[in-house]
Amino acid sequence: MAKKIVRKVLLMLPVLFLVSIILFTLMEVLPGDAAYGLGSDVSDEYIQQFREEHGLDKPAYVRYLDWVTNMLKGDFGVSLISGLPIIDRIKVRFPVTLELTLLSMIVAVVIAIPAGILSAVKRNTLPDYLTSVLAMVGVTIPPFWLGMLMVLLFSITLGWLPASGYVELTESVSENLTRMIMPALALGTQFAATVTRQTRSAFLETLDQDYIVTAKAKGLPQRVVIWKHALRNALIPIVTTIGMQTGRLFGGAVVIETVFTLPGIGREIVNSILLRDYPVVMALIMIVAFIVIVINTLIDIIHGLIDPRISQSQQR
Amino acid sequence: MKMANMKRALAILLVFASLFSLAACGSGTNEEVLATDDDASASVESPATEVSAAETGNGIKRGGVLTVAKMTNITSLDPTKSSSIDNDGFVLAQIFETLLRQDEEGNIIDGLAESYEVAEDGLSITFKLREDVVFHDGEKFNAEAAKFNLDWYISEECGHINYSSELTYVDSIDLIDEYTIRMNMSAVDASILASMTGLCGYMISPKTIKEGTIATNPAGTGAFKVKEYVEGDHVTLEAFENYYRMGEDGKPLPYLDEVVIKIMTDDAVRSANLESGDIDGVDYHGSTNSILKFENKEGFQSHTVPSVNNYFVSFNLNNEVLADIRVRQAMAYAVDRQEFIDVVLEGYGTTVPFVVRKDQWYYSDYNPYTYDPEKAKELLAEAGYADGLTVKMYYISREPDATAVQLIQAQFAEVGITMELEGMDRLAWIDLVRTQKSGELGFGVLANFGYDASRQFNSTTYYVDTTKATRLTELLPKTRASFDRDERLKSLHEYQKEYLDNCYHLFVGQNQRITSYKDTVQNVNYHWYAVAKYDEVWLSE
Amino acid sequence: MKQETNQEYLLEIKDLTTAFLFDGKPVPVTVNVSYGIKKGEILGIVGESGSGKSVTVKSVLRLLPSPPSSILNGEIYFHGQNLLTLKEKEMQKIRGNKISMIFQEPMTSLNPVYTCGNQITETIMLHQHLSKEEALKKAARMLDLVGIPAPESRLKSYPHQLSGGMRQRVMIAMALSCEPELLIADEPTTALDPTIQAQIITLIKELRDSIGLSVMYITHDLAVVAEICDRVVVMYAGMVMEIAEIRDLFHAPLHPYTQGLMQAMPRINQQSEMLYNIPGMVPHATQMPTGCRFQPRCPYATEVCSQACPELVDAGDGHMVRCFHYEKLRKERVQNG
């Protein structure tokens, strides 16, 4: 098992390397200059000086190598726009996005898996219809719109929750949660809907399997059949779905962070792209790529834990 | 099969139900149609207007936190890293102060310098500085500090090229006495005074310059100092206890305890936050929807912000079709500018011929072009395009640009010009039109925030291939070569004429920026570059 | 002919009629199925696919999902109780405990994510309330009983680590772990290859001999029936066509269908190259012919066969047959010798 984990970790490296090259090339190809990001009333001499100052006039491969070697040393460079070290930004903003994503996932999973199971077990009855319709609606509602609706209802009309802002967990857990609950729900809804549908179909498929009939034939009560025999098998595609959707959650975080004015890296990435603040974009995307790869590795490992067929076959 | 149909029906019902409930909730305020003047200058309040009525010393309450939203990202708290007065000024103006200031008419008045005197030959200016000012970090503001700042600005190490183009004629700074300096010029430059009211006039604590900590420990002389800065999210300012200006109660300004400036780039989000009370005001509204929403809303006050956007169509002079002046002029006659104001800006704007505001001292109504489609067709026929012409317009994918270009497309169609549209992101557009000077037509914006006449006119060359408009480059330095306003007016008007006669840009219209604050916010001042200053603000509850 | 519940039967199915939903309407797939199994006997239930044999036995343990299937009529008696009227909780006490079932596909009938030991002990602990250690010991004994070598280590194996034959043995061990009175085996060897098949069959016979297990053995393979069964029920198109002792069935079948099946069995000393096939096809549940269901394919069919459905009658010594013309068959056989 340990050897497998080590192997997977080592596999991450070439992937990260490839991502860095693609990322760098993409930024190169984008027309436009960071210098203009500051404002359109900049003079031409300013542009030239800016480029020299930030080494933007060096050839591409030189800049790429500089960047990679620095990153390996832990130096993510400085922002072209503000001149401040990017690592500070990361330290402050990353936990916000992480918290948002994790909360959304938790909310979603806690709602989605039982809902999906209910739907499958009570197939083609009222609870199933309701759940399926809600799931369909949840998948189609854009998180942005849902977020704005929530603000409209809970902040403006009812005045129960603040519409924006972030308070760190370390400062006050209750203040933090009052500000995170709407974003987590807005972001998590689409996720929950997808997981619900996936759970339902995985469960339906599992419930059709022969070993479920065997379990029933042994006299096991329904709840054991579902929670012991069906669940673990159904979890395999469900866990895969959750892993895949996590990447998209990060993407959705961008929009939600804008709606609720959260200081996370999602907003930061978009902003930096628009301003062509290359070092920031690249640093942040490498981090996100890293997280996604880590999550996928975790998913692999979880698969191995759930399904003995996988780990066994790899030992041979 | 029946089950699936039932599911579908339920789904559609649910979607409609939620849409209806949203519509019911959303339509709160009634939108009264505002009087749209052709001549919107009447509703433009002059820059120095104070936003509330409370002018008596009585009733001023101290304390409280003002929270406002800012539409664009803060580049840096270091003025030398900022090239945009418009964007960062909103924050910097609370922290730093300049040697001189401008009043609402664009006249240069005192700032950290109590008075200034231009020598007879115009080649030196003596500044007499205030004696009661301290920096946020405790350093004293005096002639030494001022000289240190200015020496640094013109030095190589500072590297803020913007300074160098504005300070291009500054030779050296002399220390006259403890509170007097003299700036020596290599040529007569009227704009230098305006420069001293802008980024180049900011006085920064020399200690932070020496230690290189300007961005991390900003220390100016303003009413507020920085308490906390989270890049890309917000900056929290707190009152500077040793501020030198006094309030009406004899104690130092500011009245507020803190100001929090939050960055919110999305207009709908800002509106929602203002409505819910999470913020007290915005720098300005980003869409007419928001303007209309808060115009007559109870609990809110709206005002005109003195900065404006000038919308223009640029021409690639290297394109053989557009190189023909008749084609450009035809296009200038083909645009119905009033329609642009009415439809795209929904009445919140005014038609002016150039980039100047009607209330500015150098405004001229010289305007060769009116809305005349017949003339346009004539010119096109003369140029050989009687059968029509196809051109491509590049624009930035945002509002109101996207709507504007569609309107122009329709207007051009009336005179036989087929215009294709292509949208792109902002920096890509700038790269195409400004850096590469290619493309065909471009739709862009030039902001005017009352800074300096010459600099304003300089911006009109950003998107023009000046190798094809050399007369402009000749005329530009002349506009700052004399301290005499009348002389400057002559050169400025000459420049405007040359520019418009040659139709280097087609100016479509000038907008009106409106902002809203809660009723409880009193005394927002706009006397500096159309950014709000909060040093005299107090909250009525 | 209706019977009262016969005391010599361990389990008796009476007039069972089950229906499935086709196009939203319930259509009977088994009609008036009646037969019983005696204690200590191996009862074979034979028929082609679609004959209703599997559906019937699944109804015993009420394993058919309730939509889309439903029981329209009938009783199933076990120890004097009608299983069809029991509550679910009571049924659970019977399943795996008094009556066990094994299935056709050993590859998929065991849960792939749990060890064999886990799956066996869960039944034991459920029904017999033994502790985990005791259950494990018992499970090992069961594995030994079904002839699995090194049973203690096998308990820790996962199903995918075992061959098909081993898995079926595990299934049997699991099914027998609570000492049931009746084992229902639904085509347990169909998916196995012949050598393994032979082993399983031998095992079942041994169990019948050693612990007096009663077995309902469902199959379509007459060769297997010949090996293992004491009595046989022949089903066709959802109805019982013939019930006979094994010798009688093979040497003197009374139903034209059974006769056809016998002819269709390949024999080692067969002369002809072509295998005999009963002409025609099994009708779909929604398109059952009127009268006798076999009549369209029956060489002995007459007009009466399409007008009325024959009853299941006793042709002598408990040999039951559902045919108007069974006497004719009997006479023919005697003539042909």
Side-chain angles (χ1 to χ4, degrees):
Chain A
M1 193 60 162
K3 237 174 58 179
K4 195 170 60 121
I5 296 179
V6 167
R7 208 177 46 181
K8 288 224 168 24
V9 168
L10 286 178
L11 269 177
M12 278 168 49
L13 292 176
V15 178
L16 280 173
F17 179 62
L18 196 60
V19 169
S20 77
I21 294 189
I22 295 176
L23 184 54
F24 189 82
T25 314
L26 279 176
M27 290 308 284
E28 282 296 295
V29 163
L30 264 184
D33 231 291
Y36 289 117
L38 304 170
S40 18
D41 50 312
V42 288
S43 60
D44 293 326
E45 304 99 334
Y46 181 79
I47 307 298
Q48 186 52 37
Q49 160 115 12
F50 185 88
R51 309 192 87 231
E52 275 166 32
E53 211 177 277
H54 294 277
L56 292 178
D57 50 353
K58 288 195 229 156
Y61 71 90
V62 171
R63 279 183 284 126
Y64 174 75
L65 285 172
D66 283 342
W67 175 54
V68 171
T69 38
N70 283 334
M71 249 198 323
L72 291 174
K73 285 190 252 165
D75 173 13
F76 285 95
V78 298
S79 155
L80 287 181
I81 306 285
S82 73
L84 295 174
I86 299 176
I87 188 72
D88 296 331
R89 242 193 253 206
I90 296 175
K91 278 196 231 150
V92 170
R93 300 182 79 110
F94 183 69
V96 179
T97 305
L98 191 64
E99 188 191 340
L100 175 63
T101 322
L102 281 178
L103 274 182
S104 308
M105 268 177 73
I106 293 174
V107 161
V109 165
V110 160
I111 296 176
I113 292 187
I117 295 178
L118 177 72
S119 219
V121 167
K122 298 243 189 287
R123 161 190 357 199
N124 292 335
T125 60
L126 189 60
D128 182 20
Y129 294 146
L130 273 179
T131 313
S132 295
V133 166
L134 283 174
M136 205 172 1
V137 171
V139 159
T140 43
I141 290 191
F144 183 98
W145 193 56
L146 185 59
M148 291 302 286
L149 268 188
M150 286 181 167
V151 168
L152 188 63
L153 180 59
F154 294 108
S155 302
I156 297 179
T157 314
L158 293 173
W160 287 352
L161 296 169
S164 63
Y166 178 79
V167 172
E168 283 167 49
L169 269 176
T170 47
E171 248 183 75
S172 157
V173 174
S174 63
E175 283 295 309
N176 173 290
L177 289 178
T178 0
R179 282 169 178 73
M180 290 301 266
I181 182 158
M182 285 198 293
L185 281 175
L187 185 58
T189 297
Q190 213 175 34
F191 187 61
T194 310
V195 174
T196 304
R197 294 169 105 207
Q198 180 62 259
T199 304
R200 181 181 184 274
S201 80
F203 241 83
L204 282 180
E205 214 182 287
T206 306
L207 287 177
D208 271 346
Q209 296 298 312
D210 290 339
Y211 52 82
I212 297 295
V213 181
T214 307
K216 224 183 147 189
K218 295 199 296 192
L220 293 171
Q222 180 76 332
R223 60 179 160 76
V224 175
V225 173
I226 292 181
W227 292 102
K228 180 178 172 187
H229 285 266
L231 181 63
R232 199 159 146 177
N233 281 282
L235 268 184
I236 296 163
I238 295 173
V239 163
T240 314
T241 302
I242 292 179
M244 273 166 33
Q245 292 285 316
T246 309
R248 293 177 84 204
L249 262 189
F250 271 101
V254 173
V255 165
I256 295 297
E257 284 173 13
T258 304
V259 174
F260 292 97
T261 322
L262 298 170
I265 60 175
R267 242 187 1 158
E268 191 67 8
I269 292 178
V270 171
N271 220 32
S272 305
I273 293 177
L274 289 176
L275 293 175
R276 307 291 195 274
D277 198 349
Y278 307 110
V280 177
V281 178
M282 302 205 292
L284 291 180
I285 293 190
M286 284 309 289
I287 289 183
V288 173
F290 180 73
I291 300 291
V292 172
I293 293 174
V294 164
I295 289 181
N296 278 316
T297 309
L298 273 177
I299 297 290
D300 271 352
I301 295 175
I302 292 178
H303 270 168
L305 288 175
I306 296 178
D307 190 347
R309 293 172 285 189
I310 296 180
S311 54
Q312 306 269 334
S313 68
Q314 277 163 348
Q315 265 170 22
R316 244 173 249 145
Chain B
M1 292 306 118
K2 266 207 210 148
M3 316 286 189
N5 284 337
M6 199 169 131
K7 259 198 240 186
R8 228 170 278 144
L10 258 175
I12 295 175
L13 258 163
L14 244 172
V15 169
F16 274 118
S18 44
L19 277 175
F20 281 133
S21 56
L22 165 64
C25 289
S27 57
T29 54
N30 216 338
E31 295 143 22
E32 290 173 23
V33 177
L34 298 147
T36 59
D37 288 339
D38 276 4
D39 181 14
S41 63
S43 56
V44 170
E45 294 174 14
S46 43
T49 305
E50 303 184 357
V51 162
S52 86
E55 286 172 30
T56 61
N58 297 332
I60 291 188
K61 290 196 199 152
R62 282 195 169 253
V65 177
L66 177 73
T67 310
V68 285
K70 182 182 185 306
M71 191 180 289
T72 52
N73 222 351
I74 302 173
T75 308
S76 172
L77 294 181
D78 176 350
T80 65
K81 293 261 185 305
S82 165
S83 68
S84 174
I85 302 173
D86 195 17
N87 282 342
D88 290 339
F90 190 60
V91 177
L92 297 173
Q94 323 298 340
I95 306 169
F96 297 97
E97 293 181 313
T98 48
L99 268 188
L100 298 171
R101 294 179 298 165
Q102 284 189 31
D103 70 6
E104 61 263 27
E105 262 116 53
N107 298 317
I108 309 293
I109 58 175
D110 65 306
L112 286 174
E114 279 181 343
S115 63
Y116 69 95
E117 199 181 307
V118 181
E120 286 273 343
D121 61 355
L123 291 175
S124 70
I125 309 167
T126 310
F127 296 91
K128 175 101 181 53
L129 308 173
R130 288 186 75 112
E131 308 187 6
D132 55 353
V133 183
V134 233
F135 287 102
H136 295 157
D137 61 357
E139 297 281 294
K140 185 93 180 71
F141 172 69
N142 50 25
E144 232 184 276
K147 175 172 156 61
F148 191 86
N149 267 272
L150 292 168
D151 277 343
W152 187 56
Y153 290 162
I154 59 178
S155 74
E156 292 272 336
E157 313 138 36
C158 173
H160 191 305
I161 283 297
N162 241 3
Y163 289 173
S164 106
S165 72
E166 288 191 39
L167 303 173
T168 197
Y169 299 115
V170 177
D171 250 352
S172 60
I173 318 290
D174 292 334
L175 201 58
I176 305 296
D177 65 39
E178 203 189 344
Y179 290 102
T180 315
I181 56 170
R182 184 175 65 216
M183 183 183 280
N184 302 312
M185 315 288 294
S186 61
V188 178
D189 179 18
S191 296
I192 190 66
L193 291 177
S195 299
M196 288 301 109
T197 71
L199 284 175
C200 306
Y202 273 139
M203 292 291 118
I204 305 174
S205 158
K207 183 148 163 258
T208 60
I209 299 178
K210 289 180 203 151
E211 292 171 4
T213 56
I214 309 175
T216 48
N217 184 21
T221 59
F224 295 96
K225 56 184 183 178
V226 177
K227 182 176 175 197
E228 177 191 53
Y229 175 43
V230 176
E231 253 190 287
D233 187 63
H234 72 275
V235 59
T236 306
L237 307 169
E238 60 182 357
F240 175 43
E241 59 282 355
N242 293 321
Y243 190 55
Y244 59 93
R245 293 211 279 129
M246 295 295 139
E248 300 198 22
D249 55 1
K251 292 198 259 189
L253 289 174
Y255 302 120
L256 292 168
D257 288 330
E258 278 185 16
V259 174
V260 178
I261 299 177
K262 284 188 183 186
I263 297 172
M264 290 185 185
T265 49
D266 185 88
D267 194 61
V269 173
R270 289 146 56 92
S271 265
N273 274 271
L274 185 56
E275 197 176 355
S276 71
D278 284 76
I279 56 179
D280 303 311
V282 294
D283 47 359
Y284 54 90
H285 288 301
S287 74
T288 36
N289 272 342
S290 311
I291 296 176
L292 292 171
K293 188 171 188 172
F294 290 97
E295 189 84 29
N296 292 312
K297 200 173 170 70
E298 190 160 334
F300 294 94
Q301 47 176 324
S302 293
H303 296 274
T304 308
V305 171
S307 62
V308 294
N309 283 338
N310 294 297
Y311 297 95
F312 65 87
V313 172
S314 66
F315 302 105
N316 178 8
L317 300 171
N318 296 312
N319 175 290
E320 58 173 8
V321 173
L322 300 170
D324 186 339
I325 190 180
R326 289 169 297 187
V327 173
R328 303 199 298 274
Q329 287 175 333
M331 290 180 174
Y333 283 111
V335 172
D336 182 355
R337 290 161 184 74
Q338 191 53 50
E339 198 182 5
F340 170 80
I341 304 290
D342 294 336
V343 171
V344 179
L345 300 181
E346 297 198 47
Y348 287 97
T350 178
T351 59
V352 291
F354 202 40
V355 295
V356 190
R357 290 197 325 252
K358 283 192 181 157
D359 61 317
Q360 288 182 296
W361 62 269
Y362 55 102
Y363 176 76
S364 154
D365 57 11
Y366 176 77
N367 180 17
Y369 309 109
T370 52
Y371 175 49
D372 194 344
E374 291 310 312
K375 188 99 196 267
K377 285 192 226 173
E378 260 176 55
L379 282 167
L380 282 175
E382 250 184 69
Y385 298 105
D387 294 332
L389 168 64
T390 305
V391 287
K392 192 158 180 188
M393 164 78 87
Y394 295 89
Y395 67 97
I396 302 174
S397 303
R398 63 181 180 192
E399 288 301 332
D401 305 44
T403 311
V405 296
Q406 287 181 51
L407 181 67
I408 296 175
Q409 183 185 47
Q411 291 174 351
F412 275 12
E414 306 263 311
V415 302
I417 303 175
T418 310
M419 189 167 86
E420 292 163 6
L421 301 175
E422 184 172 322
M424 48 181 61
D425 102 302
R426 185 174 158 268
L427 286 175
W429 183 91
I430 293 179
D431 187 66
L432 178 73
V433 181
R434 186 166 171 180
T435 315
Q436 297 178 43
K437 302 251 185 309
S438 64
E440 295 179 26
L441 298 171
F443 186 85
V445 171
L446 285 172
N448 176 337
F449 25 78
Y451 179 43
D452 170 62
S454 300
R455 183 167 166 153
Q456 189 66 49
F457 279 29
N458 185 28
S459 69
T460 62
T461 62
Y462 289 160
Y463 304 102
V464 174
D465 183 353
T466 46
T467 60
K468 301 252 178 324
T470 47
R471 181 105 181 90
L472 288 182
T473 8
E474 284 167 26
L475 285 174
L476 208 44
K478 288 206 195 137
T479 62
R480 59 201 272 202
S482 167
F483 281 99
D484 184 288
R485 231 186 215 191
D486 291 323
E487 270 203 52
R488 281 191 86 187
L489 264 177
K490 271 216 289 254
S491 342
L492 290 164
H493 289 166
E494 200 184 333
Y495 183 96
Q496 179 170 337
K497 183 169 188 312
E498 170 72 17
Y499 198 101
L500 290 176
D501 284 344
N502 282 292
C503 203
Y504 291 125
H505 276 354
L506 196 188
F507 289 98
V508 187
Q510 189 179 81
N511 78 343
Q512 193 182 20
R513 286 190 188 175
I514 311 263
T515 183
S516 300
Y517 282 85
K518 279 194 210 163
D519 266 344
T520 52
V521 179
Q522 320 290 340
N523 265 4
V524 179
N525 288 333
Y526 280 96
H527 64 71
W528 190 90
Y529 297 146
V531 297
K533 276 206 87 174
Y534 297 126
D535 45 357
E536 290 179 30
V537 167
W538 57 279
L539 303 172
S540 65
E541 70 172 55
Chain C
M1 187 164 55
K2 266 225 168 147
Q3 296 171 324
E4 268 78 32
T5 147
N6 195 328
Q7 292 307 325
E8 65 177 288
Y9 286 134
L10 177 61
L11 179 96
E12 188 179 0
I13 302 173
K14 289 182 80 166
D15 286 326
L16 186 66
T17 305
T18 354
F20 272 11
L21 286 175
F22 288 99
D23 259 348
K25 292 195 266 296
V27 174
V29 294
T30 65
V31 179
N32 288 348
V33 172
S34 299
Y35 59 81
I37 175 169
K38 300 179 196 155
K39 196 160 159 48
E41 82 170 333
I42 299 184
L43 178 73
I45 301 156
V46 191
E48 296 169 89
S49 21
S51 57
K53 53 193 198 295
S54 217
V55 171
T56 308
V57 300
K58 282 195 179 137
S59 300
V60 172
L61 281 184
R62 291 181 35 203
L63 292 176
L64 294 172
S66 191
S69 73
S70 48
I71 296 183
L72 297 181
N73 188 36
E75 298 105 27
I76 302 181
Y77 289 101
F78 181 68
H79 287 312
Q81 273 186 313
N82 181 356
L83 294 180
L84 296 178
T85 58
L86 288 185
K87 295 211 193 68
E88 178 66 15
K89 272 211 161 50
E90 295 167 317
M91 272 313 295
Q92 284 169 8
K93 293 211 190 89
I94 294 188
R95 295 186 191 128
N97 195 12
K98 300 266 188 299
I99 304 176
S100 282
M101 189 158 171
I102 60 177
F103 302 91
Q104 179 172 342
E105 294 279 357
M107 310 295 269
T108 54
S109 292
L110 288 171
N111 194 328
V113 301
Y114 294 111
T115 60
C116 298
N118 184 315
Q119 297 186 54
I120 302 177
T121 53
E122 102 183 300
T123 329
I124 299 174
M125 291 194 288
L126 174 71
H127 293 299
Q128 303 192 325
H129 304 296
L130 295 181
S131 73
K132 186 98 185 268
E133 296 79 37
E134 291 170 329
L136 277 171
K137 285 211 203 99
K138 182 158 188 195
R141 282 203 306 273
M142 295 311 299
L143 287 183
D144 192 40
L145 183 69
V146 298
I148 290 182
E152 284 85 8
S153 51
R154 272 285 165 267
L155 286 176
K156 297 192 202 125
S157 300
Y158 287 94
H160 69 275
Q161 294 171 306
L162 305 175
S163 68
M166 295 271 263
R167 275 184 240 196
Q168 198 60 297
R169 288 177 195 263
V170 169
M171 283 287 291
I172 295 173
M174 198 161 74
L176 297 182
S177 58
C178 298
E179 290 99 21
E181 296 173 50
L182 172 64
L183 174 70
I184 304 177
D186 189 353
E187 305 216 41
T189 54
T190 309
L192 300 172
D193 55 45
T195 33
I196 312 295
Q197 191 166 316
Q199 290 172 7
I200 300 291
I201 291 174
T202 313
L203 173 61
I204 292 180
K205 277 202 286 193
E206 279 170 9
L207 289 168
R208 187 265 314 264
D209 294 337
S210 57
I211 61 178
L213 184 64
S214 317
V215 182
M216 282 169 76
Y217 198 105
I218 293 102
T219 180
H220 62 267
D221 188 345
L222 283 171
V224 171
V225 169
E227 276 263 0
I228 191 178
C229 298
D230 301 321
R231 265 191 328 135
V232 183
V233 173
V234 179
M235 288 186 68
Y236 177 78
M239 298 187 83
V240 173
M241 292 299 170
E242 189 162 1
I243 305 180
E245 301 278 328
I246 187 78
R247 279 189 63 86
D248 289 339
L249 192 84
F250 277 88
H251 292 300
L254 291 179
H255 195 285
Y257 175 60
T258 319
Q259 191 171 71
L261 285 180
M262 295 301 160
Q263 275 182 279
M265 262 178 71
R267 281 159 226 268
I268 258 175
N269 50 358
Q270 200 150 333
Q271 303 288 4
S272 62
E273 306 239 317
M274 297 271 291
L275 288 178
Y276 174 76
N277 229 331
I278 305 178
M281 288 199 320
V282 181
H284 191 267
T286 48
Q287 293 164 334
M288 283 299 167
T290 48
C292 171
R293 290 188 169 195
F294 185 61
Q295 154 266 124
R297 307 167 73 187
C298 184
Y300 297 89
T302 60
E303 214 180 298
V304 66
C305 299
S306 52
Q307 284 163 354
C309 186
E311 297 270 343
L312 192 66
V313 298
D314 190 340
D317 291 325
H319 187 148
M320 313 294 291
V321 65
R322 192 191 293 273
C323 181
F324 291 125
H325 302 300
Y326 72 88
E327 292 282 5
K328 198 153 160 232
L329 259 88
R330 185 180 267 166
K331 280 199 192 103
E332 259 185 33
R333 183 163 299 116
V334 169
Q335 275 165 10
N336 294 340

